[in-house]
Amino acid sequence: MPIHCKRAYAPASADDGQRFLVDRLWPRGVSHERLQAQWLKDVAPSNELRQWFDHRADRWEEFRQRYWRELAAQPQLLAPLRDALAAGPVTLVYGARDTEHNQAVALRDYLLAHPRRAP
């Protein structure tokens, strides 16, 4: 189940598979055509959590725990990602500068730790 994370400002590539923007806000200066991604705004952290985190590395572990609780509370929001993963590679697109401490990384880790259960 290949899940990649890529900044919105990096060009799309053939290896990306299906691309999903997982930010609550659209990245500045990036057109829809250039991004080539489906926007999953509701999968992104809540506004309150996003603002509290403020991309501070010292809050990373707490952010990750809180974000995972938000995801667990609304598992239906992950259906498009899980469906896409069943078909091939997926790239989670984000706008943050920090490539290690952002919601796409936390979401990727969540999806890997909580795979879709067989019916």
Side-chain angles (χ1 to χ4, degrees), residues 49-119:
L49 181 56
R50 179 181 61 79
Q51 290 170 355
W52 172 83
F53 176 46
D54 196 32
H55 297 286
R56 289 179 44 183
D58 62 317
R59 293 184 176 176
W60 172 245
E61 286 305 321
E62 180 67 20
F63 165 77
R64 199 167 165 261
Q65 291 174 11
R66 290 183 187 190
Y67 184 33
W68 280 30
R69 283 194 297 269
E70 287 185 359
L71 293 169
Q74 296 186 316
Q76 73 282 2
L77 296 177
L78 298 175
L81 289 171
R82 294 193 188 283
D83 291 345
L85 284 166
V90 165
T91 296
L92 304 176
V93 180
Y94 61 94
R97 288 184 184 140
D98 188 333
T99 60
E100 295 178 31
H101 306 101
N102 63 68
Q103 71 279 2
V105 171
L107 177 56
R108 178 198 61 206
D109 294 347
Y110 181 86
L111 290 167
L112 292 172
H114 301 89
R116 174 181 267 170
R117 293 186 183 105

Side-chain angles (χ1 to χ4, degrees), residues 10-74:
S13 71
D15 296 336
D16 288 348
Q18 292 187 60
R19 294 168 48 93
F20 296 91
L21 175 64
V22 293
D23 268 345
R24 183 97 20 206
L25 305 173
W26 191 268
R28 287 185 187 167
V30 179
S31 70
H32 291 264
E33 295 78 27
R34 179 172 172 231
L35 195 62
Q36 299 176 22
Q38 180 181 344
W39 191 10
L40 297 181
K41 185 177 186 178
D42 292 333
V43 170
S46 65
N47 281 326
E48 296 79 14
L49 181 56
R50 179 181 61 79
Q51 290 170 355
W52 172 83
F53 176 46
D54 196 32
H55 297 286
R56 289 179 44 183
D58 62 317
R59 293 184 176 176
W60 172 245
E61 286 305 321
E62 180 67 20
F63 165 77
R64 199 167 165 261
Q65 291 174 11
R66 290 183 187 190
Y67 184 33
W68 280 30
R69 283 194 297 269
E70 287 185 359
L71 293 169
Q74 296 186 316

